[in-house]
């Protein structure tokens, strides 16, 4: 027997399995250790025993039962809580992962399975050359959305071979820090700002980047559209409950991939999670703009977001234009030579960052807040007789709308004054029928009051709509984003306002156009192929002069102007309620929605929020707002951590500013989203 003095009375045996590729070498090792030995010491002992000379620097200890990495090498086994029954696994931290991008391409690359997902996504975006990685995250597809695909696979005779882009030799994937990426701001732009094509001469400067010219164009260009049959096979949400399934699988940003059960070579979706696209710049963001465009395109084709027939045709025309330019060599030097009017000129300064743009050059008196005054018609639903539509004199000031019997009585008390801060503003427009309406959903104690304003023409509508949108966010018309907002609305209306021209219909292009690739299934069933092609070509005339990047940005803008844009749905049960509701989470508000009718019941703005927290024992999210309003709910369609992270994430993103020099406060993100589990 060995005396206790020889080994120390507290030593014990620890089993460690080593993940290595050498067949002839054993994989399981017994180490005699003491509780005060630190993790680094365990690894050193282990490597000495293995007797294989190789680089072990990327290896770390994974504790299987506790589902955690032992990365703090200075911590002792006692401090980590490791005892003799622990099964440790010595394995690489960087492993292969397959990522399905928004453009449905799959890339295979090495990713850190030990870093928090937030950091892993940041590294992935460096490899793929996508700026602003904080807007993206990783999504695990839910079983329901995969079922349809599995049925399809059973019926197909040939095995489906997926086109995978291998980026496994990248610097980031080998555990080293990557180059600043192709978007380094200190250098010449690496993309042609007009066409968005990679500038080939500069690619060679970044020899350590895995993105060669060919790979770069795969990510920055849209590729031929999928066939209608493929589209029919894809998962399409029919109800709000279906839409809630799409958001159930977001990974926890504060934990690693391995902790969340992700295995080597699994497939995850890389998607834009937060719908606040900051500082979109055609000079540096060719890949990012294309991926946002693709995510928007699929959301519309699969009806994840609703739009009218008129809007669907505009989206179809823009897709047709993008695919046409992407396929043609003209994409390289396609410039716009047509006459541009003022609205177009304002828009084609596509330094517009899709969220502001330059203030108007007219220096208005800063103390004077502009106001609108006009004759509009007011429609009150619930009294659906014709008499319910009445003309009034409306005055818009600060963030409120007041209306009077006529212009003369505007000096007195208004009939009603509506404060728009915190309202939902929904466009109610049909350009062909000359209907320009603004639907105001005003939060009241027991739900929402609906009020419709009817305008006479496009210009009046654009001015009032822009004022309402800003007021709902608590901004007045003095804000610098008012004029760009008016221009954006006018330009969108202009795209909708097309006229039938005989040559467009008989255009030979319409023969091989495949219009079913550009619209959702609902419209494919509703119209014959020739009818659809003719209507898409009519709409295309309004966008045919755009450059490639401009068309993609315009598509994104049009997507952003849809009423449901940016809403992520979850099925929840509010405290004290006997039935389930849907909670819509947006960049600035939460909306309680009736699960049966889809109507909004109440809206709560983040700007009025005092605090939010989670009771982890009963998985309940509780939020307190101003004026003693508090809500609490449990989430039924996903883990409550996902909603908690969404709220914190949007608040984190609202703190970004352009002078931050691209660095992110990662600690603040985890503080706002992590929850104190």
């Amino acid at each position: 027997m060995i005396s206790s003095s020889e080994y120390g009375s507290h030593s014990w045996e620890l089993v460690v399995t080593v993940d290595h590729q050498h067949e002839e070498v054993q994989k399981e090792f017994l180490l005699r250790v003491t509780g005060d030995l630190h993790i680094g010491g365990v690894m050193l002992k282990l490597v000495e025993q293995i007797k294989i000379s190789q680089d072990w620097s990327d290896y770390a200890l994974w504790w299987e039962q506790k589902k955690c990495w032992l990365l703090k090498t200075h911590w002792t086994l006692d401090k980590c809580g490791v005892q003799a029954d622990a099964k440790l696994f010595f394995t690489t931290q960087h492993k292969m992962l397959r990522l399905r991008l928004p453009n449905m391409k799959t890339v295979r690359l090495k990713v850190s399975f030990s870093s928090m997902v937030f950091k892993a996504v940041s590294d992935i975006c460096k490899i793929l050359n996508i700026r602003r990685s904080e807007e993206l995250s990783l999504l695990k597809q839910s079983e329901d959305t995969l079922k349809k695909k599995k049925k399809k696979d059973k019926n197909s005779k040939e095995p489906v071979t997926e086109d995978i882009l291998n980026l496994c030799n990248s610097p980031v994937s080998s555990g080293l820090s990557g180059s600043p990426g192709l978007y380094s701001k200190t250098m010449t732009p690496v993309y042609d700002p007009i066409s968005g094509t990679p500038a080939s001469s500069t690619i060679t400067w970044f020899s350590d980047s895995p993105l060669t010219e060919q790979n770069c164009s795969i990510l920055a260009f849209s590729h031929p559209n999928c066939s209608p049959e493929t589209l029919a096979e894809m998962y399409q949400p029919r109800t709000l409950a279906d839409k809630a399934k799409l958001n159930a699988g977001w990974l926890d940003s504060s934990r690693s991939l391995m902790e969340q059960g992700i295995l080597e070579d699994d497939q995850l979706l890389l998607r834009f999670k937060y719908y606040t696209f900051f500082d979109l710049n055609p000079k540096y963001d060719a890949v990012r703009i294309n991926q946002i465009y693709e995510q928007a395109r699929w959301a519309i084709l699969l009806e994840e977001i609703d739009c009218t027939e008129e809007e669907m045709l505009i989206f179809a025309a823009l897709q047709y234009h993008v695919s046409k330019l992407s396929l043609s060599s003209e994409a390289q030097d396609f410039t716009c030579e047509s006459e541009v009017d003022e609205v177009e000129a304002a828009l084609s300064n596509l330094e517009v960052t899709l969220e502001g743009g330059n203030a108007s050059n007219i220096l208005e008196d800063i103390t004077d807040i502009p106001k609108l005054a006009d004759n509009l018609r007011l429609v009150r639903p619930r009294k659906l007789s014709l008499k319910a539509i009445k003309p009034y004199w409306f005055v818009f000031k600060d963030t409120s709308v007041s209306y009077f019997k006529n212009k003369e009585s505007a000096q007195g008390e208004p009939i009603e004054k509506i404060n728009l801060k915190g309202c939902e503003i929904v466009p109610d427009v049909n350009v062909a029928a000359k209907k320009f309406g603004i639907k105001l959903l005003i939060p009241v104690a027991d739900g929402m009051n609906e009020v419709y304003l009817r305008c006479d023409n496009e210009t009046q509508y654009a001015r009032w709509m822009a004022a309402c949108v800003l007021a709902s966010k608590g901004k007045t018309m003095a804000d610098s984003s008012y004029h760009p907002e008016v221009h954006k609305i006018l330009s969108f209306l202009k795209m909708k306002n097309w006229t039938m021209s005989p040559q467009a219909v008989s255009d030979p292009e319409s023969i091989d156009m495949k219009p079913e690739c550009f619209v959702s299934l609902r419209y494919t069933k509703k119209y014959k192929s020739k009818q659809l092609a003719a209507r898409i070509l009519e709409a295309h005339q309004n966008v045919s002069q755009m450059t490639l990047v401009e068309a993609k940005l315009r598509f994104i803008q049009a997507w952003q102007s849809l009423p449901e844009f940016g809403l992520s749905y979850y099925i929840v049960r509010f405290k004290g309620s006997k039935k389930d509701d849907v909670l819509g989470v947006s960049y600035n508000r939460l909306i309680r929605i009736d699960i049966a009718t889809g109507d909004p019941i109440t809206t709560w703005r983040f700007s009025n929020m005092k605090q939010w927290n989670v009771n982890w024992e009963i998985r309940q999210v509780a939020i307190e707002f101003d004026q003693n309003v508090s809500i609490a709910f449990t989430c039924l369609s996903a883990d409550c951590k996902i909603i908690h992270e969404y709220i914190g994430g949007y608040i984190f993103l609202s703190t970004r500013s352009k002078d931050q020099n691209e660095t992110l406060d990662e600690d603040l993100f985890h503080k706002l989203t992590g929850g104190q589990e």
Side-chain angles (χ1 to χ4, degrees):
M1 280 183 71
I2 299 162
S3 67
S4 61
S5 60
E6 208 171 315
Y7 267 118
S9 55
H10 300 300
S11 73
W12 36 275
E13 286 186 330
L14 180 65
V15 179
V16 183
T17 309
V18 179
D19 174 23
H20 61 68
Q21 305 306 313
H22 303 270
E23 294 294 320
E24 66 286 354
V25 182
Q26 70 183 83
K27 299 223 167 182
E28 219 168 75
F29 291 86
L30 266 183
L31 302 179
R32 183 157 280 281
V33 295
T34 56
D36 57 4
L37 180 65
H38 50 74
I39 300 295
V42 174
M43 287 158 71
L44 199 63
K45 268 191 165 197
L46 187 63
V47 171
E48 281 169 2
Q49 267 202 36
I50 301 171
K51 297 190 174 63
I52 299 175
S53 55
Q54 70 169 65
D55 180 2
W56 297 100
S57 60
D58 191 39
Y59 276 67
L61 290 168
W62 166 254
W63 188 357
E64 187 55 51
Q65 296 108 311
K66 291 275 167 113
K67 293 263 178 281
C68 70
W69 286 94
L70 303 176
L71 297 175
K72 294 194 166 90
T73 49
H74 57 288
W75 278 26
T76 62
L77 291 172
D78 281 347
K79 190 168 182 181
C80 293
V82 174
Q83 291 172 339
D85 61 345
K87 286 188 172 60
L88 299 187
F89 196 55
F90 192 50
T91 183
T92 52
Q93 296 174 63
H94 288 78
K95 299 176 187 296
M96 295 309 285
L97 190 66
R98 285 175 305 131
L99 290 178
R100 196 105 189 269
L101 303 184
N103 66 348
M104 300 298 175
K105 282 263 174 247
T106 302
V107 296
R108 194 164 173 269
L109 68 177
K110 267 195 177 171
V111 176
S112 168
F113 272 56
S114 61
S115 305
M116 288 183 186
V117 165
F118 186 81
K119 176 76 175 70
V121 170
S122 168
D123 290 345
I124 290 165
C125 287
K126 275 202 183 92
I127 299 172
L128 300 180
N129 194 19
I130 298 173
R131 288 196 314 154
R132 308 283 171 201
S133 64
E134 66 278 10
E135 294 166 0
L136 298 98
S137 192
L138 298 173
L139 182 67
K140 196 175 182 178
Q141 261 183 307
S142 70
E143 292 302 312
D144 296 308
T145 59
L146 288 166
K147 272 177 195 163
K148 200 163 182 183
K149 289 186 183 171
K150 281 180 186 160
K151 275 185 201 161
K152 178 190 95 175
D153 294 345
K154 278 180 194 166
N155 302 337
S156 59
K157 308 239 170 23
E158 297 168 28
V160 182
T161 52
E162 201 174 8
D163 175 24
I164 294 182
L165 173 64
N166 250 318
L167 298 178
C168 41
N169 303 324
S170 63
V172 179
S173 49
S174 53
L176 311 166
S177 63
S179 69
L182 295 174
Y183 55 73
S184 168
K185 277 205 162 179
T186 54
M187 302 194 181
T188 323
V190 296
Y191 295 110
D192 182 312
I194 304 287
S195 65
T197 53
S200 51
S201 56
T202 59
I203 287 270
T204 51
W205 302 348
F206 305 96
S207 53
D208 62 344
S209 170
L211 278 179
T212 60
E213 268 182 76
Q214 170 243 340
N215 294 346
C216 212
S217 62
I218 286 175
L219 302 183
F221 273 152
S222 288
H223 291 275
N225 292 45
C226 74
S227 66
E229 295 77 41
T230 315
L231 194 61
E233 295 289 355
M234 293 173 86
Y235 178 77
Q236 298 190 20
R238 294 273 172 259
T239 61
L240 275 176
D242 287 348
K243 289 180 183 178
K245 285 175 191 163
L246 297 171
N247 294 301
W250 288 111
L251 295 189
D252 185 337
S253 298
S254 305
R255 289 161 67 216
S256 69
L257 289 170
M258 200 100 148
E259 286 170 67
Q260 299 180 66
I262 307 299
L263 306 173
E264 180 152 25
D265 229 22
D266 273 1
Q267 177 162 299
L268 294 173
L269 308 181
L270 179 71
R271 291 287 182 271
F272 288 88
K273 176 178 180 179
Y274 300 102
Y275 295 95
T276 47
F277 309 123
F278 187 69
D279 182 29
L280 264 188
N281 188 330
K283 282 183 187 171
Y284 311 106
D285 285 328
V287 174
R288 181 173 166 224
I289 288 169
N290 187 52
Q291 297 298 335
I292 294 174
Y293 160 75
E294 287 284 346
Q295 187 160 326
R297 188 168 84 84
W298 285 105
I300 282 153
L301 287 177
L302 299 174
E303 296 189 25
E304 288 168 17
I305 183 167
D306 290 337
C307 64
T308 64
E309 189 168 316
E310 201 172 42
E311 287 159 348
M312 182 62 83
L313 288 168
I314 290 170
F315 286 125
L318 284 164
Q319 283 178 73
Y320 172 57
H321 189 60
V322 167
S323 70
K324 208 170 132 184
L325 286 187
S326 301
L327 289 170
S328 72
S329 54
E330 297 158 30
Q332 318 307 322
D333 54 5
F334 188 90
T335 47
C336 178
E337 291 169 17
S338 62
E339 291 284 310
V340 279
D341 62 6
E342 284 174 74
V343 174
E344 286 300 312
L347 267 147
S348 54
N349 284 338
L350 274 170
E351 207 147 34
V352 237
T353 50
L354 293 189
E355 42 138 33
N358 302 333
S360 169
N361 297 332
I362 308 149
L363 283 170
E364 290 152 335
D365 180 3
I366 349 175
T367 56
D368 178 41
I369 291 180
K371 67 177 188 178
L372 287 173
D374 235 330
N375 276 312
L376 303 177
R377 281 156 299 152
L378 180 76
V379 186
R380 287 262 185 205
R382 298 194 191 95
K383 305 173 190 168
L384 288 171
S385 62
L386 290 171
K387 290 175 187 169
I389 305 178
K390 285 188 179 175
Y392 290 102
W393 179 255
F394 280 81
V395 175
F396 193 111
K397 194 159 189 205
D398 292 334
T399 57
S400 301
V401 170
S402 309
Y403 60 95
F404 305 85
K405 197 171 180 185
N406 48 38
K407 190 175 180 178
E408 291 67 45
S409 58
Q411 301 308 318
E413 279 294 304
I415 299 170
E416 188 184 1
K417 184 177 182 182
I418 306 167
N419 187 3
L420 297 184
K421 202 172 172 187
C423 289
E424 293 295 305
I425 312 292
V426 183
D428 182 27
V429 175
N430 184 332
V431 178
K434 295 274 178 262
K435 176 188 173 189
F436 303 102
I438 302 168
K439 183 172 162 187
L440 308 175
L441 296 168
I442 301 142
V444 287
D446 58 342
M448 293 288 217
N449 272 346
E450 283 186 22
V451 175
Y452 289 80
L453 305 183
R454 285 276 170 86
C455 302
D456 296 329
N457 52 46
E458 285 105 323
T459 319
Q460 190 185 50
Y461 168 78
R463 285 178 17 234
W464 281 82
M465 184 67 183
C468 290
V469 168
L470 261 66
S472 74
K473 298 174 185 172
K475 296 176 181 175
T476 68
M477 287 165 60
D479 192 86
S480 65
S481 60
Y482 175 68
H483 292 290
E485 186 69 31
V486 174
H487 288 318
K488 196 166 98 176
I489 294 166
L490 275 172
S491 117
F492 193 39
L493 292 177
K494 191 181 171 202
M495 283 199 290
K496 286 185 175 185
N497 190 13
W498 65 80
T499 48
M500 186 85 163
S501 80
Q503 82 266 14
V505 186
S506 57
D507 193 327
E509 287 177 16
S510 59
I511 300 160
D512 59 349
M513 177 191 190
K514 294 209 182 93
E516 299 83 4
C517 303
F518 303 113
V519 295
S520 66
L521 280 177
R522 192 176 357 157
Y523 297 102
T524 313
K525 289 171 184 167
K526 192 172 172 183
Y527 295 104
K528 291 192 175 118
S529 188
K530 274 187 178 171
Q531 286 175 306
L532 265 180
R535 297 190 67 186
I536 291 170
L537 286 166
E538 285 168 46
H540 179 248
Q541 290 175 293
N542 273 352
V543 299
S544 59
Q545 296 306 311
M546 288 181 188
T547 63
L548 184 58
V549 169
E550 198 180 345
K552 286 179 189 174
L553 286 172
R554 198 64 70 84
F555 191 99
I556 295 166
Q557 280 181 336
W559 176 49
Q560 286 174 312
S561 67
L562 294 176
E564 281 184 24
F565 168 76
L567 279 174
S568 305
Y569 300 102
Y570 291 94
I571 298 170
V572 298
R573 174 72 64 90
F574 278 89
K575 192 177 176 179
S577 173
K578 291 200 170 110
K579 66 183 190 68
D580 299 347
D581 285 296
V582 169
L583 185 75
V585 184
S586 176
Y587 73 98
N588 60 355
R589 66 203 190 283
L590 298 173
I591 308 172
R592 183 178 182 170
I593 301 166
D594 186 302
I595 199 166
T597 62
D599 293 336
I601 302 169
T602 323
T603 298
W604 301 278
R605 297 217 155 245
F606 292 161
S607 53
N608 300 335
M609 195 156 71
K610 286 197 324 226
Q611 64 164 351
W612 78 103
N613 53 55
V614 181
N615 180 333
W616 295 109
E617 281 176 35
I618 56 171
R619 316 299 282 180
Q620 187 182 66
V621 182
I623 309 175
E624 275 181 47
F625 297 93
D626 294 342
Q627 295 160 344
N628 297 327
V629 175
S630 60
I631 58 170
F633 56 83
T634 48
C635 186
L636 308 175
S637 61
D639 191 297
C640 64
K641 170 69 170 70
I642 294 179
I643 292 188
H644 179 278
E645 189 176 301
Y646 246 124
I647 297 170
Y650 272 128
I651 289 166
F652 170 74
L653 295 188
S654 68
T655 64
R656 295 182 295 180
S657 65
K658 283 188 182 159
D659 55 355
Q660 281 178 343
N661 195 18
E662 309 260 320
T663 51
L664 278 178
D665 187 344
E666 211 174 308
D667 292 340
L668 178 64
F669 176 83
H670 292 302
K671 208 172 179 177
L672 288 168
T673 60
Q676 283 69 48
E677 253 188 291

